[in-house]
């Protein structure tokens, strides 16, 4: 669980609610008309921008990865692959059938090696799996960013509509307040949806995409070296290149001459 996403959302909402309650009550900040223009307009514009398939894959995957962490970090994966290479060296591919891991993508690679698939088959299938996953995660990031771009614009549209309605009813003072409130609340809702929810989630997904690309490429390289019967020490040293420079020497030993 990525607690920072949840904590950030709850913290942001707490700040907004606190400011609202300090100067009135929540009821005056609720407007059905503003909600319709923000959520309905943003949804419609997003549907125009993206095909149905991208929406169905990108949005659920995006929200899932915004609130979850990778089961294993890059450093954990280096250790795990070195351990698996040691098992393969001592027991052969058959010994990998009993290896268990919390990372599904790594488990798939281990199964390919244990089943005796050739190097090209393993590489092609794992790379295709990685690329498809990253494509869908990138779609999720783009969708949430698109909603974040649309929401303030529709907030402004809602404000303009409210202003037109207000000026069209200047003869009836009782309608001026509600129309002005709708106009201002549309801008407020648009800013909140964009800057508290959608744009932060889009940025979080972009960071997760980079991490997942690194981790899955690391796994592919490790699995291919294990399939090629490389030594555990060489596997570890080759994969340490994926770690930041400051962690490499601290976590690994130099390759023996």
């Amino acid at each position: 669980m990525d607690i920072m996403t949840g904590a950030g959302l709850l913290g942001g909402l707490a700040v907004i609610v606190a400011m609202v309650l300090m100067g009135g009550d929540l009821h005056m900040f609720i407007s059905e008309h503003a909600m319709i223009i923000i959520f309905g307009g943003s949804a419609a514009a997003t549907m125009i921008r993206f095909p149905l398939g991208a929406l169905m894959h990108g949005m659920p995957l995006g929200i899932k990865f915004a609130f979850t962490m990778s089961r294993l970090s890059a450093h954990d994966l280096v250790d795990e692959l070195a351990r698996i290479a040691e098992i393969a060296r001592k027991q052969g591919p058959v010994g990998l059938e009993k290896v268990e891991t919390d990372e599904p993508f790594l488990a798939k690679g281990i199964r390919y090696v244990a089943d005796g698939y050739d190097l090209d088959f393993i590489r092609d299938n794992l790379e295709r799996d990685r690329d498809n996953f990253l494509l869908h995660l990138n779609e999720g990031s783009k969708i949430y960013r698109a909603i974040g771009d649309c929401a303030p614009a529709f907030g402004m549209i809602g404000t303009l509509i409210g202003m037109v309605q207000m000026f069209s009813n200047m003869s009836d003072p009782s309608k001026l307040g509600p129309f002005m409130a709708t106009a201002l609340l549309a801008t407020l809702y648009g800013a909140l949806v964009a800057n508290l929810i959608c744009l932060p989630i889009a940025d979080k997904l972009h960071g997760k995409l980079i991490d997942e690309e690194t981790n899955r490429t690391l796994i592919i390289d490790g699995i291919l070296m294990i399939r090629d019967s490389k030594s555990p020490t060489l596997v570890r040293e080759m994969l340490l290149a994926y770690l930041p420079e400051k962690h490499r020497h601290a976590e690994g030993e130099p390759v023996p001459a």
Side-chain angles (χ1 to χ4, degrees):
M1 183 70 181
D2 188 345
I3 61 173
M4 295 304 294
T5 301
L9 287 173
L10 291 176
L13 290 174
V15 170
I16 299 301
V17 171
M19 293 300 296
V20 168
L21 295 179
M22 287 173 65
D25 58 70
L26 287 174
H27 180 73
M28 68 175 62
F29 285 87
I30 296 175
S31 171
E32 294 81 3
H33 295 86
M35 290 182 183
I36 291 172
I37 189 66
I38 294 300
F39 295 106
S42 297
T46 304
M47 290 168 65
I48 295 172
R49 287 188 177 188
F50 298 94
L52 179 61
L55 293 173
M56 294 186 66
H57 285 99
M59 290 195 73
L61 186 66
I63 201 67
K64 174 185 175 182
F65 271 80
F67 286 91
T68 58
M69 299 286 289
S70 297
R71 292 178 175 85
L72 297 174
S73 66
H75 171 251
D76 294 333
L77 287 172
V78 172
D79 290 340
E80 186 78 353
L81 285 161
R83 180 182 70 86
I84 294 168
E86 185 68 30
I87 295 173
R89 186 181 191 183
K90 292 180 178 179
Q91 304 178 23
V94 177
L96 299 179
E97 295 179 355
K98 299 180 180 179
V99 173
E100 296 182 357
T101 179
D102 294 330
E103 176 55 57
F105 188 72
L106 176 58
K108 178 183 290 188
I110 295 171
R111 187 176 72 251
Y112 286 161
V113 176
D115 291 343
Y117 291 113
D118 63 75
L119 207 64
D120 290 336
F121 175 89
I122 296 174
R123 179 188 294 108
D124 291 344
N125 277 270
L126 291 181
E127 287 181 350
R128 188 179 302 113
D129 189 307
R130 177 199 61 193
D131 294 343
N132 287 335
F133 172 81
L134 294 177
L135 175 64
H136 292 149
L137 192 57
N138 188 46
E139 286 177 343
S141 177
K142 289 181 178 179
I143 290 169
Y144 284 100
R145 188 169 300 281
I147 298 173
D149 292 339
C150 289
F154 277 98
M156 182 58 65
I157 292 172
T159 298
L160 295 174
I161 292 173
M163 296 294 288
V164 170
Q165 292 172 334
M166 184 184 71
F167 287 122
S168 298
N169 290 273
M170 292 294 287
S171 59
D172 187 355
S174 65
K175 295 183 179 180
L176 300 182
F179 285 140
M180 177 60 79
T182 298
L184 296 178
L185 287 175
T187 299
L188 175 63
Y189 289 175
L192 286 177
V193 169
N195 296 289
L196 181 60
I197 301 174
C198 293
L199 293 180
I201 287 179
D203 288 337
K204 175 63 72 70
L205 292 178
H206 180 70
K208 294 288 180 72
L209 186 148
I210 294 174
D211 290 341
E212 286 294 328
E213 182 177 17
T214 299
N215 289 353
R216 293 187 179 226
T217 303
L218 185 155
I219 289 172
I220 292 173
D221 287 351
I223 289 296
L224 294 178
M225 285 189 285
I226 292 171
R227 175 62 181 82
D228 209 23
S229 302
K230 301 297 184 182
S231 71
T233 302
L234 180 59
V235 170
R236 175 183 290 276
E237 287 299 323
M238 293 291 289
L239 296 181
L240 282 174
Y242 285 95
L243 299 181
E245 181 67 30
K246 63 181 180 179
H247 294 306
R248 296 177 191 175
H249 302 295
E251 304 297 347
E253 299 176 357
V255 180

